[in-house]
Structures are given as C-alpha cells and as structure tokens.
Amino acid sequence: QDHTLEEADDLSFSDSTLSLETEGKKHRVDKDNNRRKDSSVDKSRAKKIPDGIIPGTVNVIGVVGAGVMGREIAFEAICSGAFSQVVLVDIFQNSLESALIEIARLVDNRISEGKLKAEEKNCLLGKLITSVEYSALAVCDAVIEAVRETVEDKGNCYRQIDTVMASAEGGSENGYWIFSNTSALSLNV
C-alpha cells in the first residue's frame, strides 16, 4: 500500500526509516527525528511501461543465482502455486545440480511435515527449469536476481537479463520486472 509523507508518522516500522518515492525524488522519513531527507534518484535510464500497456500477471518467474538464496527463492516459488514455471539460471552447472538436490530435499521436508502431499512432489519439481544460459529467461514475465553481492556480478547479471528480456518476443513491448535480492549494496536504476 502506498502512503504519503504526511501518513508516514502513523505507520509502524520494523526499522526507523521509511523510503517513499514521489515524482522522481526519493524521500527518506526518519521517524525518530521526524524529518524528511531528499535524495535524487536518476530514473532516466529506467525503461518505462508505455501508456496503455497494463502489465499482466506473472506466470513464469526466473531466478538468477542458484546459491543459498536463489535456490530457496526458487523452492518457495514452485511451492507457492502462483507460477506455472520457475526458471533457475546459474553460470555454474554444479551450482544448479546442488540446487536441484537441495530443492528436492526441501520438498521432502514439507511432505514429512504434512505441508505437502507426496503425490505433489513430481508436479512441483516438474515446474523447475534449470539452465546455465541467460537465454532461458526469455519465457519469464519477471526475474529475481540473487547473485553474489558484488557490484560487478550484479551489474553483469542485470545487463544479461536486460539483453535477453528486451529481445524476447513481446518483452520490450509489454515490459518486464527485475527484482533484486540484495542486503548490502545500494542499487541505482
């Protein structure tokens, strides 16, 4: 839910800062000091969804990076029931193989906990597509990036995703989403 700056004081926070974006400016409201800090956000390079185009639902989601976070995201995505397919991409085949083993183990855990039925396992695992090629993302409506926390790796990842998605049939016309799983890096659009 979107909130105005005036409403910020009435919201509860897990930390003391709320970020809001309005009219190309990023506003940080420090609840403890009750003040607003403005910082410019350069959105000139961000691709805009053309007028009249309404983004559709996300049926196929991609995850880039098969490390701990990426495999967990892919696992939750296949279990959610929200996606017809989940495409997991990593540049290392051995990372994908490890991810498949771990995801199957996580599904087994959910079965043993009674949260999934045993007969669902093959269907869930069948939703997962793995590839060492970024081109596999061309079928995705949205992509979650979960690569190593370096500016170089994330930058390379975004360029690869953008190249694939922009050239995908309907990709640049209908737009697409890229989400990031980052905890330490500030991402500029």
Side-chain angles (χ1 to χ4, degrees), residues 105-130:
R105 187 188 67 75
L106 291 169
V107 170
D108 288 338
N109 286 351
R110 290 255 173 110
I111 292 168
S112 65
E113 294 168 352
K115 295 178 181 177
L116 290 173
K117 296 178 181 164
E119 56 269 15
E120 294 177 289
K121 182 177 180 176
N122 287 339
C123 181
L124 289 175
L125 295 177
K127 290 182 179 186
L128 187 60
I129 298 166
T130 62

Side-chain angles (χ1 to χ4, degrees), residues 11-118:
L11 299 174
S12 60
F13 305 94
S14 58
D15 80 28
S16 64
T17 303
L18 170 71
S19 291
L20 299 164
E21 289 192 26
T22 53
E23 298 177 18
K25 285 283 200 178
K26 183 177 180 183
H27 304 284
R28 288 174 37 100
V29 178
D30 185 329
K31 190 171 185 216
D32 296 333
N33 296 324
N34 211 14
R35 65 180 178 205
R36 185 174 115 186
K37 302 173 188 176
D38 291 342
S39 62
S40 293
V41 175
D42 179 12
K43 294 186 176 184
S44 62
R45 293 182 4 217
K47 294 182 179 178
K48 305 292 186 226
I49 296 175
D51 289 340
I53 300 292
I54 300 171
T57 57
V58 176
N59 294 314
V60 180
I61 193 153
V63 180
V64 179
V68 173
M69 291 304 295
R71 68 179 63 163
E72 292 277 341
I73 292 167
F75 164 70
E76 292 296 340
I78 63 169
C79 290
S80 73
F83 310 107
S84 61
Q85 288 183 317
V86 177
V87 179
L88 180 60
V89 172
D90 197 288
I91 59 172
F92 300 108
Q93 182 64 39
N94 62 338
S95 294
L96 290 169
E97 291 166 4
S98 295
L100 284 171
I101 292 166
E102 179 63 14
I103 290 169
R105 187 188 67 75
L106 291 169
V107 170
D108 288 338
N109 286 351
R110 290 255 173 110
I111 292 168
S112 65
E113 294 168 352
K115 295 178 181 177
L116 290 173
K117 296 178 181 164

Side-chain angles (χ1 to χ4, degrees), residues 143-146 149 154 158 178-183 185 187:
V143 178
I144 301 170
E145 167 274 312
E149 290 279 304
K154 289 194 181 287
Y158 293 132
I178 299 176
F179 301 96
S180 179
N181 179 53
T182 185
S183 59
L185 296 177
L187 301 176

Side-chain angles (χ1 to χ4, degrees), residues 141-168:
D141 304 304
V143 178
I144 301 170
E145 167 274 312
V147 299
R148 193 169 54 167
E149 290 279 304
T150 69
V151 172
E152 181 181 356
D153 286 347
K154 289 194 181 287
N156 288 336
C157 178
Y158 293 132
R159 282 187 287 282
Q160 294 273 1
I161 292 169
D162 196 47
T163 298
V164 169
M165 299 302 283
S167 64

